[in-house]
Amino acid sequence: MITSAVIAAISDDTDPRLREIMEALVSHLHDFARDVNLNTSEWLEGMNFLVRAGQMSNEKRNEVILVADILGLESVVDALTFGASGDTTESAVLGPFYREGAPMLPDGASIVQDGSQEQTVLVQGVVFDANGKPLAGATLDIWETAPNGLYEQQDPDQPDMNLRGKFATGPDGRYSFIGLRPVEYPIPFDGPAGDLLQLMGRHPYRPGHIHFIVNAPGHKKLITQIFDRDASYLDSDAVFAVKDSLLVDFSPAPKNAATDYIVNYDIELTSADQA
């Protein structure tokens, strides 16, 4: 049988974890082909689809991750990696538009570089450990789209690193930054991922959200998102990332405040020895 022959061809000195993955991958791929009675033309179409996704990917857009996202694969891997977080803050997918190198900004600074002043929001809170102790020196890496629904690397009219920034918590574990109330937006659908969505009769939209990566010494890195509780598409997020615990209220700010809205959002991290 071809499946057992392929598995037997894996060298005995292969890394044990890689062997486990490859044996399962070969077995499941072959079973999939048999289950659907895959024919040659369909197989070639699938291979061309993967080639197109790779060819479209670059430093500004990862089409392969987009395909994985619309199939729910990244959300499955996220759940397997982080599991049920109990009382600590739940994770969410990284997505294809994260960039390294966001500028380190002072507490309370704005990540808005293009002069946008509509629908501004002050996001603030405390980073805690699992025992409720505030964590000083935690870092938060933040990014979101502009009001046109594009991340800055997608949009030549936005300044470099617009709506991206890093922040450190103070001695009391507090953080704050000014951003924009996030908007719903379609993931790019002019490539293979969009073709697949159309073939499945699905829309490409994500609800308004802000991305976070939170790090603190001795604690597990948290990759997550917060979602506007009043956003559209919460029940049909194109990448299946919405979790009830990540819904937040954008409350109108007091009169004469510096922003239009305020979000209060505390974050609890898991200890590294509990990860």
Side-chain angles (χ1 to χ4, degrees):
M1 183 177 180
I2 185 64
T3 303
S4 57
V6 175
I7 291 173
I10 300 173
S11 172
D12 290 339
D13 60 2
T14 301
D15 175 83
R17 176 58 175 163
L18 179 59
R19 170 180 285 278
E20 179 184 12
I21 291 172
M22 292 308 301
E23 287 183 356
L25 178 63
V26 169
S27 179
H28 287 299
L29 279 176
H30 290 200
D31 284 344
F32 161 75
R34 296 185 185 99
D35 286 347
V36 301
N37 196 26
L38 196 68
N39 64 46
T40 300
S41 62
E42 292 165 339
W43 175 80
L44 284 172
E45 184 67 26
M47 296 304 99
N48 289 332
F49 176 88
L50 295 176
V51 169
R52 289 196 297 123
Q55 290 173 335
M56 181 165 272
S57 297
N58 53 41
E59 70 280 359
K60 295 185 176 182
R61 170 175 175 172
N62 192 319
E63 190 73 8
V64 178
I65 290 181
L66 276 176
V67 171
D69 283 352
I70 65 172
L71 294 176
L73 180 58
E74 189 179 2
S75 288
V76 170
V77 173
D78 169 63
L80 291 170
T81 303
F82 298 101
S85 53
D87 293 331
T88 56
T89 299
E90 286 195 283
S91 60
V93 300
L94 178 68
F97 296 109
Y98 173 67
R99 285 186 66 191
E100 298 277 359
M104 196 75 193
L105 300 174
D107 185 59
S110 176
I111 61 175
V112 184
Q113 296 186 35
D114 63 356
S116 298
Q117 293 298 319
E118 295 183 6
Q119 302 288 295
T120 55
V121 58
L122 171 66
V123 182
Q124 60 186 3
V126 179
V127 178
F128 293 101
D129 67 15
N131 297 315
K133 178 183 176 181
L135 290 171
T139 60
L140 298 91
D141 198 341
I142 309 297
W143 69 104
E144 64 172 321
T145 71
N148 63 1
L150 297 175
Y151 293 92
E152 49 84 24
Q153 74 265 50
Q154 298 175 276
D155 185 357
D157 293 329
Q158 292 185 48
D160 186 53
M161 291 292 177
N162 184 43
L163 294 166
R164 297 179 187 269
K166 288 184 178 179
F167 299 86
T169 58
D172 56 0
R174 290 196 164 273
Y175 76 90
S176 64
F177 66 89
I178 293 174
L180 299 177
R181 187 171 188 173
V183 298
E184 62 205 36
Y185 68 88
I187 62 172
F189 56 91
D190 57 341
D195 293 344
L196 190 57
L197 283 172
Q198 292 184 53
L199 287 169
M200 294 188 292
R202 289 172 47 194
H203 70 72
Y205 282 90
R206 297 217 60 209
H209 61 278
I210 301 173
H211 291 269
F212 286 68
I213 297 178
V214 189
N215 280 289
H219 293 78
K220 190 173 184 179
K221 177 170 71 174
L222 173 68
I223 301 171
T224 195
Q225 304 173 29
I226 57 173
F227 296 87
D228 186 342
R229 193 184 305 276
D230 293 328
S232 302
Y233 305 107
L234 291 173
D235 295 329
S236 60
D237 180 12
V239 306
F240 308 98
V242 177
K243 300 175 182 178
D244 288 345
S245 68
L246 303 179
L247 303 181
V248 299
D249 295 308
F250 282 71
S251 302
K255 187 177 180 180
N256 298 322
T259 61
D260 299 305
Y261 299 94
I262 294 176
V263 166
N264 294 300
Y265 191 68
D266 293 341
I267 296 168
E268 297 183 11
L269 300 182
T270 302
S271 173
D273 58 16
Q274 297 176 338

